[in-house]
């Protein structure tokens, strides 16, 4: 499966999808509205099947590419920082709500999600969803690996000076939990925040298959179940676990 990461604006997303030639295009955290927008998160929030979802479904059908994108999701009295996965036929495959909220930017405006592992089958792979800060918790990524996730999709809004997360931590997560990771960052500025870009697609070997710079860019890479199986034969972290020793780590 060919995947592409759109490191650019929402306005540029349709043309990026149309020219990507990808089976799956991944966009950033809260790409539809902006991330550091305070109360406007609530003003602009929509249900998972709202007007924005309808536009994204239409884009998927027109281009034949699946889409993963971040948006503010309204659900009754709550608003969640969410990512939605749309299939190439326009059908909604999965919706994940960010579980680990980052600082006041998240906690002041969003309710945390309650489901750690959200997955869907796409292009012969099991795709899992996380958002930004979530990937910095190894327990959560390992939970995905143990639940069968093969490609972990992570829309993000990583700002400077935390480039270490994109450059070092994300490849480490892919290697230690033996899965592909697609990390889709922003590269714009909101108030005092400058998003650092550096989106990437990383193999379970830890190899960075594609890496963006600090500006608008479309990157792509091929991910296959065969490459994953070969990596897991070489790297036996998952097979060599000792769960009997780890029980105390959950509290």
């Amino acid at each position: 499966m060919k995947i592409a990461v759109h490191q650019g604006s929402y306005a540029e997303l349709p043309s990026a999808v149309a020219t990507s030639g990808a089976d799956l295009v991944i966009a950033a955290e809260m790409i539809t509205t902006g991330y550091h927008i305070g109360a406007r998160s609530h003003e602009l929030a929509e249900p998972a099947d709202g007007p924005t979802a309808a536009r994204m479904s239409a884009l998927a059908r027109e281009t034949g590419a699946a889409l993963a994108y971040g948006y503010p999701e309204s659900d009754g009295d709550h608003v969640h920082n969410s990512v939605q996965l749309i299939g190439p036929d326009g059908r909604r495959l999965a919706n994940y709500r960010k579980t680990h909220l980052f600082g006041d930017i998240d906690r002041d405006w969003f309710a945390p999600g309650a489901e750690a592992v959200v997955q869907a089958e796409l292009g012969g792979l099991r795709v899992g969803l996380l958002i930004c800060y979530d990937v910095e918790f190894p327990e959560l990524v390992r939970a995905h690996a143990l639940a069968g996730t093969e490609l972990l999709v992570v829309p993000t809004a990583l700002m400077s000076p935390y480039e270490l997360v994109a450059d070092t931590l994300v490849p480490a997560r892919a290697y230690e939990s033996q899965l592909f990771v697609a990390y889709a960052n922003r590269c714009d500025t909101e108030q005092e925040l400058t998003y650092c870009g550096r989106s990437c697609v990383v193999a379970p070997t830890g190899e960075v298959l594609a890496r963006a710079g600090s500006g608008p860019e479309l990157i792509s890479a091929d991910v296959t179940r065969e490459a994953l199986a070969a990596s897991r034969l070489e790297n036996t972290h998952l097979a060599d676990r000792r769960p009997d020793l780890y029980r105390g780590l959950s509290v």
Side-chain angles (χ1 to χ4, degrees):
M1 181 167 65
K2 180 180 179 181
I3 64 173
V5 174
H6 171 59
Q7 185 174 281
S9 71
Y10 183 45
E12 297 165 333
L13 180 60
S15 61
V17 175
T19 60
S20 68
D23 301 297
L24 168 64
V25 179
I26 304 157
E29 179 179 12
M30 296 278 284
I31 190 173
T32 63
T33 60
Y35 170 61
H36 190 22
I37 58 174
R40 296 192 66 228
S41 302
H42 284 229
E43 296 168 13
L44 298 172
E46 298 179 8
D49 60 354
T52 297
R55 288 193 294 272
M56 299 298 269
S57 293
L59 178 60
R61 288 193 299 271
E62 290 166 7
T63 60
L67 302 172
Y69 65 94
Y71 74 107
E73 178 194 358
S74 61
D75 182 15
D77 294 332
H78 298 294
V79 173
H80 299 276
N81 183 338
S82 296
V83 55
Q84 186 142 233
L85 178 64
I86 304 288
D89 59 357
R91 184 170 57 93
R92 180 155 49 101
L93 300 179
N95 189 76
Y96 169 77
R97 297 167 172 174
K98 190 175 186 179
T99 53
H100 294 70
L101 301 184
F102 177 77
D104 293 340
I105 296 175
D106 272 338
R107 296 189 191 112
D108 284 351
W109 304 110
F110 300 113
E115 191 173 2
V117 177
V118 173
Q119 301 168 313
E121 298 292 328
L122 177 68
L125 292 173
R126 184 171 296 182
V127 178
L129 303 173
L130 292 180
I131 299 174
C132 198
Y133 194 42
D134 289 327
V135 80
E136 299 183 37
F137 293 83
E139 303 92 337
L140 194 54
V141 179
R142 181 56 56 83
H144 265 277
L146 296 178
T149 293
E150 296 165 311
L151 168 61
L152 188 60
V153 168
V154 189
T156 190
L158 181 72
M159 66 287 291
S160 293
Y162 301 112
E163 288 86 351
L164 173 75
V165 174
D167 292 348
T168 302
L169 188 147
V170 170
R173 291 288 174 270
Y175 179 76
E176 70 192 5
S177 281
Q178 284 298 288
L179 35 67
F180 288 97
V181 179
Y183 189 75
N185 198 16
R186 306 173 65 96
C187 62
D188 52 345
T189 300
E190 292 177 325
Q191 299 186 62
E192 77 280 11
L193 301 183
T194 298
Y195 302 109
C196 61
R198 304 201 58 74
S199 298
C200 56
V201 180
V202 185
T205 59
E207 178 187 0
V208 177
L209 302 176
R211 167 78 72 186
S214 59
E217 196 168 345
L218 182 71
I219 61 172
S220 63
D222 292 321
V223 301
T224 68
R225 182 168 280 168
E226 291 76 15
L228 178 63
S231 181
R232 288 182 175 179
L233 280 175
E234 177 70 22
N235 180 334
T236 57
H237 277 151
L238 296 179
D240 293 342
R241 293 171 62 253
R242 291 282 309 278
D244 55 307
L245 301 179
Y246 312 147
R247 292 192 182 98
L249 298 181
S250 64
V251 295

